[in-house]
Amino acid sequence: MIFSDHQIIWPETLIFLGAGTTASLKMPTSWHMGSILFSLCEQEEQIVPDDLNFDCFSGFQQDICDLLNILSYKRMAEYSISIKQENIAKRCFPEANEEERKHRILSLRQHYDWPCLQSIGKIIKNSEKEVQDDFIQSVFTTIDTCLRENRGCTVDGYSFSTERLRAARELYILLINTMFACAWQQICTCKQDSLIPYMNFAETLGRMMQKDAENNEDIPFASRSFYLFNYSILTTNFDPIILWMVWQAHKKLNREQSCYLGSPARPLQLFIDF
C-alpha cells in the first residue's frame, strides 16, 4: 500500500478516567500505595503495624512482612541466612527441608531484590518533598532511567548493577499488584454491588459499539474504519478495573449473540484492542 493512499482513522471519543474514578470501590490510590511502600523502605525489619495505613495488604500483612524479611540481607552477604530468617522460612515453607528452604530463599533473592529497592527508596526519601508526594512514579522513573541508559546506580557508595535494578523493579511491581489483588478480593467478598454502576457503564459502551457496527455494515469488515471502536480510554490510575469491566461486558454480549452482520449473517464479536 502506498502511504499517501492510507487514510488514518482514530476513535472519535476519548474517555478520560481521573484519579477518583474507582474511589467508591475503595481501590488504593497511588498516593496511598506510595505511602505504604515509602514506609516499608524506611524499615530495616518488617513488622505488621497496628495502624490502618497497611490495609492495602489486607489479609496478607504477615505474608508481605515475611517475604521482605527473608529477602533482606546485609551488603556482600547475599548468601547468608540468619536464624530468624530460617524460622520464617519454616513457617512459609513447612513442607520443605532445610536445604530446600535455603534454595528457595536464595532463588527469591535473585528474582526480587529488596535491598536494592530499599536503597532506591532512600534516594527518593532524600529528594525534595514534591518528589516524595509521588513516590510510586519516582521509583519507577529512577529505575527505568538507569535501565534505559544501560547503567547501574550507586547509593551510599554501594553500586547496583542493571540486573539488580531489574530484580528490584520486579519486586516493586509484585508489591503494587498484591495491593490491587487484595483490594479486588475485598470488593468480590464484601462489596460486589458497588461494581454494578461500572458494569452498566461498560455494557452501555459495548451495546453502542454493536449499534455502530450495524450502522457501518456496508464498510469492509477488515477495514480499520469498521473494526476500530469509536472510543478510546485514557486513565491516570494504576488499577485496571474499568478495562476489566469492559472485558467482562464484551464477554457477556458476545455470549448473548444479539448482533448479526454479513451474508450469511454471523454473530458480531467484541474485543479489546490493548
Side-chain angles (χ1 to χ4, degrees):
M1 177 185 293
I2 300 176
F3 183 76
S4 59
D5 296 333
H6 179 62
Q7 183 180 9
I8 298 177
I9 304 295
W10 295 108
E12 299 173 356
T13 303
L14 173 65
I15 300 175
F16 184 84
L17 305 178
T21 305
T22 54
S24 62
L25 298 177
K26 304 299 182 183
M27 291 296 290
T29 63
S30 298
W31 183 90
H32 192 183
M33 292 189 296
S35 66
I36 293 176
L37 296 170
F38 183 84
S39 175
L40 291 174
C41 287
E42 285 187 306
Q43 304 174 38
E44 292 300 323
E45 180 179 349
Q46 306 303 327
I47 302 175
V48 178
D50 296 326
D51 58 57
L52 294 178
N53 279 340
F54 213 58
D55 61 351
C56 284
F57 289 119
S58 178
F60 293 89
Q61 291 97 326
Q62 188 61 60
D63 301 278
I64 293 298
C65 288
D66 286 344
L67 172 64
L68 297 182
N69 282 331
I70 63 175
L71 291 177
S72 180
Y73 58 88
K74 300 296 182 181
R75 292 182 179 181
M76 309 304 292
E78 179 180 355
Y79 301 102
S80 176
I81 300 175
S82 68
I83 295 178
K84 187 169 185 177
Q85 289 173 328
E86 289 179 358
N87 292 333
I88 293 174
K90 288 179 182 178
R91 183 169 65 247
C92 294
F93 315 118
E95 78 291 349
N97 58 42
E98 182 177 352
E99 189 62 29
E100 289 173 337
R101 288 193 294 267
K102 180 178 180 180
H103 175 75
R104 291 185 186 183
I105 291 176
L106 297 181
S107 179
L108 285 170
R109 288 179 180 179
Q110 183 179 10
H111 289 89
Y112 302 109
D113 199 319
W114 175 231
C116 180
L117 182 57
Q118 276 188 305
S119 297
I120 298 297
K122 291 179 181 179
I123 296 178
I124 309 303
K125 174 186 176 183
N126 296 329
S127 301
E128 297 296 327
K129 182 181 183 300
E130 288 75 12
V131 177
Q132 294 184 21
D133 288 341
D134 194 11
F135 185 75
I136 283 188
Q137 193 60 49
S138 298
V139 171
F140 275 126
T141 299
T142 302
I143 295 177
D144 290 345
T145 299
C146 294
L147 294 178
R148 185 168 56 250
E149 298 175 359
N150 196 29
R151 63 176 176 84
C153 72
T154 302
V155 181
D156 295 334
Y158 189 73
S159 297
F160 294 99
S161 64
T162 55
E163 288 76 15
R164 294 196 62 179
L165 287 172
R166 288 191 183 91
R169 194 180 194 278
E170 289 300 310
L171 175 59
Y172 200 50
I173 293 173
L174 173 67
L175 294 173
I176 292 173
N177 286 346
T178 300
M179 284 191 271
F180 282 132
C182 290
W184 177 253
Q185 187 178 58
Q186 289 293 313
I187 293 173
C188 295
T189 304
C190 309
K191 299 178 290 186
Q192 288 192 28
D193 289 345
S194 62
L195 289 172
I196 294 177
Y198 297 88
M199 193 62 193
N200 289 340
F201 172 72
E203 286 187 21
T204 299
L205 287 177
R207 296 191 188 281
M208 288 175 61
M209 294 307 99
Q210 287 180 331
K211 188 66 176 177
D212 183 68
E214 292 174 344
N215 293 336
N216 291 285
E217 190 174 1
D218 57 328
I219 298 177
F221 294 166
S223 167
R224 184 174 171 87
S225 300
F226 175 83
Y227 63 73
L228 183 71
F229 286 179
N230 268 353
Y231 72 88
S232 59
I233 295 178
L234 175 64
T235 177
T236 60
N237 297 312
F238 277 98
D239 70 78
I241 294 295
I242 298 299
L243 292 178
W244 178 241
M245 291 295 99
V246 171
W247 191 92
Q248 290 286 356
H250 288 183
K251 179 181 178 181
K252 176 182 177 181
L253 295 174
N254 288 343
R255 289 183 174 180
E256 288 179 359
Q257 295 190 353
S258 59
C259 180
Y260 285 79
L261 300 176
S263 180
R266 290 175 295 178
L268 176 72
Q269 297 288 296
L270 297 171
F271 295 98
I272 300 178
D273 182 3
F274 285 104

